[in-house]
Amino acid sequence: MGMTDVLIVGAGPTGLVLACDLARRGAAVRIVDRSPAPPRTSRAKGPNPRSLEILDDLGVVEEVLAAGSAPLPMLKYRDRLPVAEADPWADSAPSPDAPYDRGWLIAQWRLEGILRDRLAGYGVRVEPGREVVGLTQTRHDDGGGDEGGRGDGGHVDVRYADGPAGRARYVVGCDGAHSSVRKLLGIGFEGTTDEDQVMVCGDVDLAEGALDRNRWHQWFDEDGAVMLCPIPGTRTGWWFQAGPERDGRGRPLAPTADGFRRLLAHHTALPGPALTRAELLSTYRVNVRMADRFRAGRVLLAGDAAHVHAIAGGLGMNTGVQDAFNLGWKLGLVLAGHADAQLLDTYEEERLPVAARTLDLTSERLRATLEAIRRPGGGLDAAFSADTTALGVADTTGLSVGYRWSSLAAGGREAAAGTPGPHAGDRAPDAPCADAATGVRTRLHRVFAGPRTTVLGFGPGSAAVLRATADAYGDAGVRVCRVYAAHEDRAGAEPGAVADDAGHAAAAYGTEASGRTGTGTVVVVRPDHHVGLVAPADDAGSVREYLRRLHGTGRSAERSPGMVDAVR
């Protein structure tokens, strides 16, 4: 029985992002899905700005942008007449530190197709029709420790409903709200299902010219609602969402094409027959649930398998994509034998609080939306625009999500409240800059792209620690990048160095007032674009210690004993 490094169960966006991230690290990955063919589901409407950054890192964002469309203004109706228009993104614009200022509309099946193609480029294909029915964990290490290095022999035996069994060093359940992996582990999924808060959804075709395709149309009436959003890349396709029809006792009826036609005729000025086709019909109930843990030994949960929440604000798929991006690099470093398997505990430590907060945020957005639509002119923009800072979450873009509480946020708790720039745990800002040698335009997130940790050095004093880092880890998953200020002499700049010619990087990282340290500043950026450490450039010990935790001791100890022994 061949051993694979990671078996991913579930080939939705979460599983596919994780598979792409691991495959490009050289891990042996299998990804299985119980569906006999890729599902054409009518689900998420697309990635938010943080997910676009992740898709950019994975090398597919251009395709995603080309296959989708910008989010549309919302036209709201009452009693069949237009009463208000809102564009929640009207006041947002790209900024140097965040080039994606809004999400993107793309059918989930299109996004999955783009990710499957990317994965096939690494020689990995989704295995359809493979349902996992048994998981048995084996440990061959000396009892308690689960070191996870290549030689420890611990693994998971996997049984399928049919076909030969499999074996993997790790298994990740990305198999949705009804996750078999979670059930096989016996992990609780506490929360509530509101049987009364129900929506019917589907993909429909409307007669050509029936509605303006540059608007998301929303009819909110006293007795129900219909929403129609054009599906990018189609001529006549629309996402249909509505309050359900109900029987004589007020119970919601299952969605049908004829039911959709009746809802259309009842709420809108369109005749029922304008709806020419309806498929992928589903009923959505407001479920707010969370797994009580995201890891059991060698098996982990991500995406809807770990948490489900109200649809408001469009955070479901996005939270899963971001789970995957948090987990991928950690699994990669453990599989390569660089990091101790305890690194995997930081996945739950970081993502479980984010999931819990997202549950609160989406429930609050849902409450605000339900309140808004009672009034003529209210609509779904309430889910995107209201200030939610009271919940400690600034927005639905995902850009403000950070992990300051994490054990991987070195010195994060001590950072002075007024310190400019990101703290350890925060998302590392982007910034436009130029290649120091060639002058070709680039951005910091391009520098970070790919499966490596990046050490940024600001100020001449950072040269020594960058050199020592390159010597110890140059071929072991760490890159160094000296950021030159506009006034600095760049003659003899190292390959990969960048010129911060407009000062955007210094502004984003709070280093322009190098009053914090005369020597310069070093910032360690994790492979998932979060800041691990901010240190004065003369504090080489902290940098060494942080890198050693993620990447081991680097090249052999004889080569650079200083890098290895500083913290012993």
Side-chain angles (χ1 to χ4, degrees), residues 79-111:
D79 299 327
R80 301 186 178 180
L81 297 173
V83 289
E85 186 163 35
D87 182 353
W89 298 275
D91 297 329
S92 65
S95 59
D97 65 337
Y100 303 108
D101 66 307
R102 59 195 65 199
W104 208 247
L105 289 177
I106 178 173
Q108 183 170 321
W109 53 266
R110 280 300 300 274
L111 176 63

Side-chain angles (χ1 to χ4, degrees), residues 284-302:
Y284 169 84
R285 281 182 174 76
V286 175
N287 254 317
V288 181
R289 293 178 181 276
M290 195 164 88
D292 43 42
R293 54 200 169 120
F294 289 6
R295 180 186 181 201
R298 293 178 169 273
V299 186
L300 301 105
L301 301 174

Side-chain angles (χ1 to χ4, degrees), residues 3 23 37 84 98-99 110 117 122 211 215 229 242 307 384 393 414 430 482 488:
M3 173 93 82
R110 280 300 300 274
D117 289 347
Y122 297 112
L211 279 175
R215 296 287 181 276
C229 183
H307 43 75
F384 294 94
V393 182
E414 294 90 55
D430 201 354
R482 171 83 159 82
E488 282 186 82

Side-chain angles (χ1 to χ4, degrees), residues 41-89:
T41 45
S42 176
R43 286 222 176 109
K45 288 195 176 63
N48 67 11
R50 178 63 190 133
S51 294
L52 288 170
E53 292 183 343
I54 291 169
L55 296 167
D56 194 343
D57 191 290
L58 293 174
V60 296
V61 78
E62 296 305 328
E63 276 179 273
V64 169
L65 294 174
S69 81
L72 300 172
M74 300 174 179
L75 182 56
K76 291 168 290 188
Y77 303 78
R78 176 67 65 122
D79 299 327
R80 301 186 178 180
L81 297 173
V83 289
E85 186 163 35
D87 182 353
W89 298 275

Side-chain angles (χ1 to χ4, degrees), residues 419-508:
T419 315
H423 292 207
D426 293 352
R427 165 188 166 274
D430 201 354
C433 45
D435 183 287
T438 65
V440 171
R441 302 305 304 168
T442 185
R443 341 180 41 90
L444 286 183
H445 276 204
R446 286 255 64 79
V447 173
F448 303 158
R452 288 183 290 178
T453 297
T454 305
V455 182
L456 295 178
F458 294 87
S462 66
V465 71
L466 292 185
R467 224 176 6 254
T469 300
D471 282 349
Y473 294 100
D475 56 1
V478 182
R479 68 165 79 76
V480 300
C481 175
R482 171 83 159 82
V483 182
Y484 286 91
H487 62 267
E488 282 186 82
D489 176 15
R490 304 198 280 280
E494 313 76 358
V498 297
D500 183 22
D501 43 9
H504 290 305

Side-chain angles (χ1 to χ4, degrees), residues 11-14 16 33-46 106-113 116 176 178 201-204 231-232 234 238-241 277-283 304 317:
T14 301
L16 289 166
D33 197 284
R34 73 172 75 146
S35 302
R40 290 278 298 232
T41 45
S42 176
R43 286 222 176 109
K45 288 195 176 63
I106 178 173
Q108 183 170 321
W109 53 266
R110 280 300 300 274
L111 176 63
E112 289 173 1
R116 277 198 304 275
H178 301 292
C201 316
D203 284 13
V204 305
I231 302 175
T234 67
W238 296 76
W239 284 299
F240 181 102
Q241 296 165 286
R277 177 193 64 99
E279 56 182 36
L280 312 180
L281 309 185
S282 63
T283 297
D304 287 355
M317 176 189 82

